[in-house]
Amino acid sequence: MRTALLVAALTAAAVVVVAPSASAATAYHVDCAATTGGNGTQSSPWNSLDQVNATTFGPGDQLLFKRGATCTGRLIGTGSGTASAPIRVGAYGTGTARPVINGAGALSAVYLKDVSHWTLNDLRVTNPSGTRAERNGVRVETASADAKAGIVIDGLEVDNVAGWGDKTGTNAAWFSRSSGIMVLGAATAGPINGISIVNNHVHDTGGGGIKISNKPSAYHTSVRIADNRIISAGGDGIVVHGSDAPLVERNRADNLGGGAYPFVAGNFAGMWPINSRNPVFQFNEVTRSYPSIFDSTAWDCDGGIVGTCTYQYNFSAGNAGGFHLGCQTCTSFPNYKAKEVIRYNVSQDDCRAAWVSGSNGPVELHNNTFYCAGNPIDFTLPNGTGATTSIRNNIFVAAHGSFPTAAGVTYDNNLYWGGVTPPSGDTNAVTGDPALAYPGGSGSGFNSVDGYKLRTGSPALGAGAVLAGAGSRDYFGAAVPKADGTVNIGADNGSGVGAHTYPNLKAAFNNTGISKDVNPAIGGFSLSGRSYSSDALAAAGFKTGPVTANGVTFQWTQQYYGFPDNVKAAGQKITLSGSGTAVAFLGAAGYGTQSGTGTVTYTDGTTSTYTLSFTDWWASSPIAGNQVAATLAYHNKAPTTYNNPATGRDEQDVRLFQTSVPITAGKAVASITLPNVGGPLAGAGLHVFAMTVV
């Protein structure tokens, strides 16, 4: 009897031990290159998405795809994890190639619907098709009424998604639901608490990069979109819809509207919220957006915003629509007249600096640095009954443009230079060169924002007003106010930096003299926004790398058209090495033949002077000492129809010229100081695209 009871007890104990093991987290392996489908172990992996999609996953499970293998079809995740034991989708195996999920034209390549606590990591997700439609790379959807939580999309490459590019017409709604990464909520669905989209590389995705689209029954919470690269997406960079206090930070978006599936029609913008509460966008970068009907700005505070829309510590450059759009009245959502706080941002050649109209919500535009080398600076601001627009402590550098004055618009303590006149209400205006370190500098092919620090002796140092609620830091991390209690004008609250010596010509680029034919609006060789065509230059042999003109070989470092690509000579000292008898230049003049004197410094400390002269780029024949390096049958200008780049082509031919200046034979060159002809802003002057010692 005792023996039977002991056996029964041991059997029961065995059941208690075995049961948890049976429900323990499991690692499932998938190798779609395997010839047969196994049981999901690493030694016998599944070989199809059908096996994956037939499985309901649970807390702590891992779904691991083999590196270097491609699964074609749609990955549909079923089941939920927990906060402490999320379901993780990732990679296994050796090598650096990510496993690929290729949707092959499905609605999405990866689909998570009504699930919680999923983490996607280290995959390449692609969804190409010869026909564009509503389409995503990754699609997370909430449709049921219960709340969800814990969606993490981290470290993916999402590319070549054939999403819809037309925000007009019958299928306009497809555009808002097309992007590389999408979170979509039905109006009656439960919200998601915890959306983290970080460290992803999204490129060539129709409709846009990353979107949270539509507001569910309540705001999503704990939303963070950070450290993503969005390159050549055919629409919006980042859109945040229906979220409470979303944080969008340290993302980079470039060449929006272009890529494999380009924007077609309607409007898009860089990074923006809609129908959300207290959104914050900080430390982001948006550059070179294509034209659309009206928008194409880097930033936009859109409809249905509650509380405060904050843009701080961001950089933008060369966007066809400019810097900021306040469009709270542009949608069917209610206009809650949210406050717009725009502070400590740097804007380069985004000369429609702000278009904020109709909302009459308070706007605080302070401590920003606006640098417009070519195009006029332009503002539209709320005014009239109920408007409170405060424009304080900003640097405005532009050759031309104006500032609106009206009831409800206040200017104070701004700095104006380059050709713009302070509005009459700015009684504490500062005028004069702000002595920016090296504005427009592009040492690595993209902008070096350190160029917008203030040099020692700048009139902007300590000249700003101390503002309540201004934040505790500037763009570069310096404290606000400084230890002595003062505040600078502009985005830099430091104590000033020394004079800058450029390590090479490319680092000194400060003018955007070349534009792509598909995006002509961002050129600025002249004050009217005209520029050389990159396509016409390429046809003439001027492509990235060595180019030879009249027997002299130059390095053509121009590559990312829409960023500065030449030096408008303003006395820059540039490191240059070599020995010979001359320095050869590729360049041209603007507004007639131009000439100026510069200095060559040799390694032994001696110097020699030279005179550099260039022919006007429109001239049909060169002046004495110049030779034609390239003749282009047309050039680009600002489009007459905003979103039709073909209207930005001018059939007037233009030329690039070559010349040389003598140097002391037998001595090694250490640096060259360019002439100071007309200053750095577009207008009369000399433009240098390349140089070399010969």
Side-chain angles (χ1 to χ4, degrees):
M1 184 68 151
R2 267 193 208 122
T3 301
L5 289 172
L6 181 59
V7 171
L10 289 173
T11 302
V15 171
V16 171
V17 171
V18 170
S21 176
S23 61
T26 302
Y28 299 93
H29 297 78
V30 186
D31 177 7
C32 287
T35 55
T36 58
N39 59 13
T41 62
Q42 185 168 353
S43 59
S44 181
W46 293 338
N47 74 340
S48 75
L49 291 174
D50 289 341
Q51 290 174 284
V52 174
N53 297 342
T55 303
T56 299
F57 298 93
D61 284 351
Q62 297 184 71
L63 176 59
L64 306 175
F65 291 85
K66 189 171 183 179
R67 293 185 178 279
T70 296
C71 292
T72 301
R74 199 176 191 202
L75 166 59
I76 301 174
T78 306
S80 290
T82 64
S84 59
I87 298 166
R88 176 179 170 266
V89 182
Y92 79 96
T94 59
T96 59
R98 290 183 172 99
V100 179
I101 310 297
N102 186 338
L107 178 65
S108 65
V110 177
Y111 186 46
L112 302 178
K113 181 179 180 182
D114 292 332
V115 298
S116 291
H117 300 295
W118 278 71
T119 295
L120 306 180
N121 177 255
D122 203 18
L123 305 173
R124 180 186 168 206
V125 179
T126 186
N127 199 3
S129 175
T131 302
R132 299 180 67 174
E134 177 183 336
R135 195 171 279 121
N136 311 114
V138 177
R139 184 172 183 139
V140 178
E141 189 169 345
T142 173
S144 64
D146 55 308
K148 290 87 183 176
I151 299 299
V152 178
I153 302 172
D154 181 358
L156 306 187
E157 179 182 4
V158 182
D159 67 278
N160 287 282
V161 175
W164 193 247
D166 188 348
K167 203 176 181 179
T168 65
T170 303
N171 297 318
W174 289 0
F175 181 83
S176 66
R177 298 195 297 262
S178 289
S179 62
I181 298 173
M182 168 66 65
V183 178
L184 183 64
T188 58
I192 302 173
N193 176 25
I195 300 173
S196 178
I197 304 174
V198 297
N199 303 312
N200 301 288
H201 180 200
V202 181
H203 62 95
D204 298 283
T205 52
I210 298 171
K211 293 182 180 180
I212 299 177
S213 189
N214 295 349
K215 179 178 177 294
S217 60
Y219 289 122
H220 300 300
T221 54
S222 298
V223 174
R224 183 170 180 261
I225 303 175
D227 299 296
N228 301 285
R229 286 184 300 152
I230 303 163
I231 311 297
S232 299
D236 307 286
I238 296 174
V239 181
V240 181
H241 195 141
S243 300
D244 187 9
L247 179 61
V248 179
E249 60 180 353
R250 296 193 305 273
N251 302 282
R252 177 176 169 237
D254 178 54
N255 204 46
L256 295 178
Y261 299 99
F263 179 76
V264 176
N267 281 310
F268 73 93
M271 299 182 189
W272 54 283
I274 183 170
N275 203 16
S276 294
R277 181 163 55 195
N278 295 325
V280 174
F281 290 71
Q282 60 184 14
F283 309 112
N284 301 292
E285 176 178 321
V286 175
T287 53
R288 305 192 305 160
S289 296
Y290 284 35
S292 59
I293 290 175
F294 186 80
D295 296 17
S296 296
T297 50
W299 326 113
D300 169 23
C301 183
D302 217 87
I305 302 298
V306 175
T308 300
C309 207
T310 301
Y311 281 95
Q312 58 188 7
Y313 321 124
N314 300 290
F315 171 74
S316 69
N319 295 289
F323 174 71
H324 180 77
L325 177 67
C327 211
Q328 296 184 50
T329 60
C330 297
T331 71
S332 59
F333 297 110
N335 174 18
Y336 297 115
K337 299 183 179 180
K339 178 189 286 189
E340 297 185 32
V341 174
I342 307 163
R343 62 189 183 189
Y344 292 103
N345 303 285
V346 175
S347 169
Q348 174 181 294
D349 290 328
D350 275 349
C351 300
R352 186 171 68 166
W355 193 96
V356 185
S357 181
S359 71
N360 278 355
V363 176
E364 295 180 2
L365 188 82
H366 69 80
N367 288 98
N368 303 283
T369 297
F370 294 96
Y371 185 81
C372 290
N375 295 307
I377 196 162
D378 177 43
F379 282 88
T380 299
L381 299 169
N383 60 78
T385 304
T388 54
T389 300
S390 174
I391 303 175
R392 310 181 73 182
N393 290 355
N394 302 283
I395 291 175
F396 299 113
V397 177
H400 53 151
S402 60
F403 301 86
T405 57
V409 179
T410 302
Y411 296 88
D412 191 32
N413 279 97
N414 301 290
L415 184 150
Y416 308 84
W417 184 71
V420 289
T421 302
S424 58
D426 196 343
T427 57
N428 294 306
V430 176
T431 57
D433 185 349
L436 299 170
Y438 51 104
S442 309
S444 62
F446 298 102
N447 184 271
S448 175
V449 185
D450 281 352
Y452 292 93
K453 289 183 177 180
L454 301 172
R455 294 202 309 269
T456 303
S458 167
L461 291 169
V466 178
L467 305 178
S472 61
R473 58 158 291 168
D474 72 352
Y475 181 97
F476 301 97
V480 176
K482 288 180 274 194
D484 63 3
T486 62
V487 172
N488 297 343
I489 298 175
D492 172 23
N493 205 52
S495 300
V497 298
H500 188 72
T501 298
Y502 300 92
N504 51 58
L505 183 72
K506 184 176 180 179
F509 286 171
N510 63 354
N511 175 266
T512 304
I514 306 172
S515 63
K516 294 186 291 187
D517 289 3
V518 293
N519 194 6
I522 55 180
F525 187 90
S526 70
L527 291 173
S528 59
R530 294 176 183 269
S531 58
Y532 288 96
S533 158
S534 65
D535 304 72
L537 281 165
F542 285 79
K543 301 178 182 179
T544 303
V547 297
T548 300
N550 300 307
V552 178
T553 298
F554 299 86
Q555 284 299 316
W556 189 257
T557 57
Q558 292 75 357
Q559 181 176 6
Y560 300 103
Y561 295 109
F563 288 116
D565 48 54
N566 72 92
V567 178
K568 180 137 187 308
Q572 298 91 341
K573 185 177 182 180
I574 300 168
T575 299
L576 181 66
S577 61
S579 298
T581 59
V583 177
F585 297 88
L586 286 176
Y591 298 91
T593 296
Q594 304 292 334
S595 184
T597 302
T599 303
V600 176
T601 300
Y602 302 95
T603 56
D604 63 3
T606 61
T607 62
S608 63
T609 61
Y610 67 90
T611 298
L612 178 64
S613 302
F614 268 128
T615 311
D616 185 90
W617 68 315
W618 278 35
S620 58
S621 59
I623 61 172
N626 281 198
Q627 296 174 281
V628 174
T631 298
L632 312 183
Y634 67 96
H635 69 277
N636 290 333
K637 63 180 181 179
T640 54
T641 302
Y642 191 58
N643 64 331
N644 183 356
T647 66
R649 175 166 167 154
D650 191 313
E651 299 303 324
Q652 166 70 44
D653 57 354
V654 293
R655 289 166 180 80
L656 188 68
F657 297 96
Q658 178 194 333
T659 192
S660 62
V661 300
I663 58 176
T664 304
K667 290 193 175 186
V669 175
S671 67
I672 187 167
T673 301
L674 296 177
N676 190 350
V677 182
L681 301 182
L686 297 166
H687 295 256
V688 177
F689 289 83
M691 64 182 180
T692 188
V693 178
V694 294

